[in-house]
Amino acid sequence: ISLIFGDKLNSPDVEFGLEGGVNFSHLGGLESKNSLGTFNLGLYFDIRMKDQWYLYTGVLVKSKLGTDKLKEGDLDFLKVDIYPEAGNYSQVLNYFLVPGLAKYKLKNHFYFEAGPQLGWMYKSWVEYNSDIDGKDARIREYNKDLINWFDIGMVGGMGYQLLKGKGMTIGIKYYYGFLDVYKEKSGTKNNSLFLKANIPIGAAKKEKELEKEKVKELEKELEKEKGKEKE
């Protein structure tokens, strides 16, 4: 979609492109307090509403939330198999994340954003990893039935757009979920810190086309003025 339609989707009032980065997530209500670090990738639309106000939306199609280094009490609650070899257990949740943020861009190209975010969980598992005597092991025990498929929460963040407001954007945002992740355990809410980069697709090309159109319009006006002078 980006490669084929990116330049067509960009205009003076709409910016389209790729959002990607890393996030560090944690589930409340568990004994483990360790964050799970993962990569994420998706598409975004930055739509001008009025003056310096924008609507930021899109979807992270590859995104994971969860918690790393689960404790014994967490494993007991999740009823997962415990292996004799020492290793690390982590809860991994795959989501489609859809933000709907109000975004305010300052004239110095910094911005602030805040608003709701929806999440649809489509796959989850507890992952066991071990590395003993040079032998790696990774085992996934799927537990989608324990998880609520829907999540909603709030996002707040800030960032900066490079190249005088016409290039890539770098930013940071924080998400806090309002709903319990596990069906049978209260207080288990998603929260995650995202470090992100937004790359507009075709925006530079569109900017050049607009500049060419302006030049053509000026040439036409000059020709009209010359015609009037001759008359």
Side-chain angles (χ1 to χ4, degrees):
I1 293 173
S2 300
L3 295 174
I4 296 172
F5 300 111
D7 58 332
K8 296 178 177 62
L9 293 172
N10 278 289
S11 70
D13 293 325
V14 179
E15 180 181 294
F16 168 78
L18 299 176
E19 176 182 334
V22 296
N23 64 293
F24 304 91
S25 60
H26 174 257
L27 288 173
L30 297 181
E31 291 183 11
S32 173
K33 305 304 177 185
N34 295 283
S35 296
L36 179 69
T38 59
F39 292 95
N40 54 77
L41 182 66
L43 308 172
Y44 77 91
F45 286 90
D46 208 4
I47 306 167
R48 184 194 296 271
M49 304 303 291
K50 184 178 181 182
D51 300 328
Q52 293 167 265
W53 286 99
Y54 291 74
L55 170 65
Y56 182 88
T57 187
V59 58
L60 284 178
V61 295
K62 183 176 178 60
S63 56
K64 294 183 177 70
L65 303 178
T67 291
D68 199 17
K69 297 181 180 178
L70 296 171
K71 303 295 184 182
E72 185 176 344
D74 301 328
L75 298 175
D76 182 60
F77 162 69
L78 295 170
K79 299 178 182 178
V80 299
D81 295 330
I82 307 298
Y83 299 95
E85 295 81 6
N88 175 57
Y89 297 81
S90 56
Q91 172 70 73
V92 181
L93 307 161
N94 276 336
Y95 279 94
F96 291 123
L97 297 176
V98 180
L101 312 181
K103 185 174 184 178
Y104 187 78
K105 294 185 179 181
L106 302 175
K107 293 183 179 179
N108 59 5
H109 311 306
F110 281 94
Y111 71 84
F112 297 89
E113 61 185 1
Q117 178 171 276
L118 305 178
W120 174 39
M121 190 281 300
Y122 61 92
K123 188 183 293 185
S124 68
W125 63 81
V126 173
E127 184 165 301
Y128 163 76
N129 286 279
S130 71
D131 183 1
I132 301 174
D133 297 329
K135 295 181 180 180
D136 294 331
R138 185 180 70 173
I139 300 174
R140 291 179 176 178
E141 188 170 333
Y142 292 89
N143 62 350
K144 183 179 179 181
D145 293 340
L146 300 178
I147 313 296
N148 288 308
W149 67 271
F150 179 72
D151 194 38
I152 185 171
M154 288 294 293
V155 170
M158 62 178 295
Y160 180 77
Q161 190 164 20
L162 306 175
L163 299 178
K164 298 180 179 180
K166 297 179 182 179
M168 182 178 74
T169 299
I170 54 175
I172 183 171
K173 61 182 180 180
Y174 177 76
Y175 171 69
Y176 184 80
F178 295 154
L179 305 179
D180 290 325
V181 171
Y182 294 109
K183 297 177 181 178
E184 298 180 2
K185 194 174 182 66
S186 61
T188 53
K189 295 176 173 56
N190 278 311
N191 58 89
S192 186
L193 181 69
F194 291 80
L195 305 178
K196 67 167 187 168
N198 291 70
I199 304 173
I201 304 297
K205 181 179 177 181
K206 184 65 68 175
E207 188 71 23
K208 289 180 181 179
E209 290 177 355
L210 290 172
E211 289 177 358
K212 288 181 181 179
E213 289 178 3
K214 288 180 181 178
V215 171
K216 288 181 180 179
E217 288 178 1
L218 288 172
E219 289 176 347
K220 288 179 180 179
E221 289 180 4
L222 288 172
E223 288 177 1
K224 287 181 181 179
E225 291 296 327
K226 288 180 181 179
K228 290 179 180 180
E229 289 178 359
K230 288 180 181 180
E231 291 176 359

